[in-house]
């Protein structure tokens, strides 16, 4: 779902401001050539995504909005940074509106662009150009990297050039960004300043710097990039560098609000009557993740006066596949109302174990009032795969044969009364069904020539093309104004090149030492700790995360931090772990899982970030009490007491010619015992489970105890689930009987 197009440009108001004379004069269209690694249209690329396995598909995000914001450094610190922080704490759909607090002379472009250029001018003798392009797709899974069709994948492209003219203002130090770096609290990270010869011609373009005659070649390239409207991607540099990925810089919008409690998992919860559902208030994360990046151009004069122009980039990436919690957040729907719509069969889904997953266009179609009544004759969910395979044979389409083995779109339908008696779960009132139109529309992504069905396929991936070039200017204020210089101009050593030299090195304390290195250039602050769970559910896992700001790191040099967490109850540790993360300067989020204890009580999650020297750089605490999840609970299984065996009928005699006849267990006795115990097998859904029938062969001794329980047939496709059912049935109590060798029978158990 794309954000509405917004573009605001205004007039210059003061010396340290943007030089704009109106939208037409201040901007022009820019196109990017060579964006794709292979020549493919959007639908072809999406077909490739949908052919991948579900895990890979869930890791894919597409670019749904890009905003470019530019302002002089003092305006950025005073106005833009606070507005950005506030806007990024809101729902992504309201991001554009939240930026309206900015004055009209602050350049804003977006959201329907893929990048753009900022042409910047230093009053008195300096010109520069910053070019940026954001990739259309990001993949969190290695298997999906090639599907992004980008080279290199999971990278933005960026190039900054800036030239100081001979005889210009008295500039002694300059910073020209080499890449986009994460913003921290809305501000760029501290930057390295390069010393330049006062009054001389000097130019930097990407990694190259030169002065005097050495600047001619760079000037020629920079001038060409400024003049052409079609920007070749090969001229730009991939960012972040080395093995770093934009995925690592994605951040979330966290909101406190209602969410549907799913104690038995999303699928089993939605198959029960809505009257049994409940809502809980907790932290929820909007499905769209964002990048907040910055690139400042900075100059320092010979009087200590400084000025900057900051280009900020905010890009939103949204998953193609949404969870039950994410889907209503994307379209601004009430979580229970959306769940009720799924329960009524108005929204199709893909099922993966206990999870329900929604293709984004299905959710957007529902939000707009469409797709609630599919066409064709309803099929049992178990027949969906064979139906698809049959179409493949009929139309000679091999892709359908492969598709029949993967998750297919299903809906929920009401279970008829006579069928409910055969289900294991007495609380279940809905089950999965398939509709031919849903199946055919989904399959047309994979095999466009399929003639089955009337419904056209829906598409999620529709990348915007092109960007804007905007103009701005800034100037060195008169006199020494070091006290008002932006905080990120405190410097961080020299980065080399050009005339050498550099600014002072940032220094600070990292806090308590853990074996050396009591002080460090690092500065780490934990900004927030959060959990996607209202509490730590007993015997399960809770999602947790920490947001922290990292400063004092040289440009392009990530630092390895160790994250240690400890879940404590009553002053003692009950769960702990540690792992390393590599991050560059900026604000970052790190997610992890916490295994919950088996006993309830007040609990605190403590997190410590340790710097490379072993010193504690930052620490924080989150209340994460441990308690039962609710819903149906199953007590520990216990073997039933043995009963006294019955005696066989000896046909009226006990001599050697008597013939013993035994009755064993009657069908009525077996059925009654199975019905009384079968819901205990629902505990096996904790580890997964699926649709289908598990056929058990059970041998019951004359004392009523199960001697053996084995899986004879399984159509659920989950071997562990079936084996769990067989093991659980070893605890089932049966009546005593008179057959010494045991009574052998089969038990069909139907799960949906």
């Amino acid at each position: 779902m794309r954000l509405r197009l917004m573009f605001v440009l205004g007039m210059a108001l003061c010396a340290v401001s943007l030089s704009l004379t109106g939208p037409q004069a201040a901007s022009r269209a820019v196109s990017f050539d060579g964006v794709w690694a292979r020549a493919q249209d959007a639908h072809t690329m999406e077909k490739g995504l949908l052919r991948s396995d579900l895990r890979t598909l869930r890791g894919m995000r597409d670019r749904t909005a890009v905003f470019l914001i530019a302002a002089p450094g003092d305006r950025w610190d005073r106005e833009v940074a606070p507005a950005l922080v506030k806007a990024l704490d809101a729902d992504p759909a309201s991001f554009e509106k939240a930026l309206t607090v900015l004055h009209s002379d602050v350049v804003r472009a977006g959201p329907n662009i893929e990048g753009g250029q900022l042409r910047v001018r230093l009053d008195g003798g300096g010109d520069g150009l910053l070019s940026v392009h954001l990739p259309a797709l990001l993949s969190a899974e290695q298997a999906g990297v090639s599907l992004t069709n980008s080279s290199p994948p999971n990278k933005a492209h960026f190039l900054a050039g800036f030239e100081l003219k001979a005889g210009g203002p008295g500039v002694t130090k300059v910073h020209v960004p080499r890449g986009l770096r994460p913003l921290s609290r809305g501000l760029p990270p501290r930057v390295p300043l390069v010393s330049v010869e006062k009054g001389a011609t000097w130019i930097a373009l990407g990694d190259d710097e030169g002065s005097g005659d050495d600047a001619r070649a760079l000037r020629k390239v920079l001038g060409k990039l400024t003049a052409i409207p079609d920007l070749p991607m090969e001229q730009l540099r991939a960012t972040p560098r080395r093995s770093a990925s934009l995925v690592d810089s994605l951040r979330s919008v966290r909101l406190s609000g209602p969410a549907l409690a799913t104690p038995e998992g999303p699928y089993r919860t939605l198959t029960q009557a809505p009257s049994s559902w409940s809502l809980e208030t907790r932290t929820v994360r909007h499905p769209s993740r964002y990048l907040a990046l910055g690139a400042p151009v900075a100059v320092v004069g010979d009087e200590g006066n400084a000025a900057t122009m900051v280009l900020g980039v905010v890009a939103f990436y949204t998953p193609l596949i949404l969870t039950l919690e994410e889907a209503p957040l994307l379209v601004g729907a009430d979580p229970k109302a959306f769940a009720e719509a799924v329960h009524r069969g108005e929204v199709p889904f893909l099922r993966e174990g206990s999870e329900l997953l929604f293709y984004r266009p299905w959710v957007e179609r529902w939000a707009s009032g469409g797709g609630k009544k599919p066409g064709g004759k309803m099929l049992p969910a178990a027949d969906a795969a064979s139906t698809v395979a049959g179409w493949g044979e009929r139309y000679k389409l091999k892709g359908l044969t492969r598709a029949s083995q993967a998750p297919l779109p299903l809906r929920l339908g009401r279970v008829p009364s006579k069928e409910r008696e055969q289900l294991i779960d007495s609380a279940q009132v809905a089950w999965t069904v398939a509709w031919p139109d849903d199946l055919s529309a989904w399959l047309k992504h994979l095999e466009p020539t399929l003639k089955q069905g009337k419904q056209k396929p829906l598409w999620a991936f529709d990348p915007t093309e092109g960007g804007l070039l905007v103009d701005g200017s800034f100037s060195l204020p008169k006199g020494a104004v070091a006290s008002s210089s932006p905080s990120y101009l405190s410097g961080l050593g020299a980065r080399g090149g050009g005339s050498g030299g550099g600014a002072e090195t940032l220094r600070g304390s990292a806090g308590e030492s853990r074996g050396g290195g009591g002080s460090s250039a690092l500065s780490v602050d934990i900004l927030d700790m959060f959990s996607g769970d209202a509490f730590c559910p007993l015997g399960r896992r809770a999602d947790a995360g920490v947001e922290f700001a990292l400063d004092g790191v040289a440009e392009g040099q990530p630092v390895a931090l160790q994250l240690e967490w400890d879940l404590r109850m009553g002053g003692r540790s009950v769960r702990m772990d540690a792992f390393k993360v590599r991050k560059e300067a900026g604000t970052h989020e790190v997610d992890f899982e916490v295994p919950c204890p088996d006993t309830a009580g007040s609990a605190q999650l403590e997190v410590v970030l340790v710097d490379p020297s072993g010193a504690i750089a930052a620490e924080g605490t989150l209340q994460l009490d441990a308690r039962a999840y609710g819903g149906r609970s199953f007590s520990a299984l216990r073997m039933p007491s043995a009963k006294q065996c019955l005696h066989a009928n000896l046909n009226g005699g006990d001599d050697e010619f008597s013939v013993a006849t035994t009755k064993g267990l009657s069908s009525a006795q077996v059925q009654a015992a199975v019905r009384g115990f079968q819901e205990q097998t629902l505990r096996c859904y904790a580890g997964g489970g699926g649709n289908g029938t598990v056929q058990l062969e059970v041998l019951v001794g004359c004392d009523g105890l199960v001697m053996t329980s084995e899986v004879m047939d399984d159509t659920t496709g989950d071997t562990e689930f079936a084996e769990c059912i067989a093991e659980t049935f070893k605890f089932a109590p049966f009546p005593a009987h008179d057959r010494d060798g045991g009574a052998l029978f089969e038990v069909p158990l139907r799960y949906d």
Side-chain angles (χ1 to χ4, degrees), residues 447-458:
E447 291 286 1
T449 60
L450 177 65
K451 294 182 173 60
Q452 193 75 31
K454 299 179 180 179
Q455 192 179 126
K456 294 182 179 180
L458 301 176

Side-chain angles (χ1 to χ4, degrees), residues 23 32 79 98 286 395 726:
F32 297 90
E79 301 172 31
H286 194 279
Y395 300 114

Side-chain angles (χ1 to χ4, degrees), residues 329-358:
L329 287 170
L330 181 72
V331 294
D334 176 78
K336 190 172 183 181
F338 178 77
E340 289 173 342
V342 177
H343 178 81
R344 291 192 299 267
E346 296 178 3
V347 190
F349 56 82
L350 304 173
R351 184 178 172 192
E352 185 179 45
S354 63
E355 280 208 83
L356 301 181
L357 303 173
F358 302 88

Side-chain angles (χ1 to χ4, degrees), residues 3 34 50 95 100 126 131 151 169 209 235 302 312 407 409 411 414 420 427 430 508 547 578 623 659 689 694 741:
L3 304 177
L50 297 178
F95 178 81
T100 57
S131 304
S151 182
E209 299 169 10
Q235 297 287 342
D302 52 7
R411 298 193 188 218
R414 190 161 190 83
R420 285 189 63 186
E547 180 183 38
Q623 190 72 25
V659 178
V694 177

Side-chain angles (χ1 to χ4, degrees), residues 205-222:
L205 181 64
D207 295 329
D208 300 315
E209 299 169 10
S211 59
D213 292 341
D214 296 335
R216 290 180 180 176
L218 296 177
R219 184 185 302 113
K220 183 178 181 180
V221 175
L222 182 58

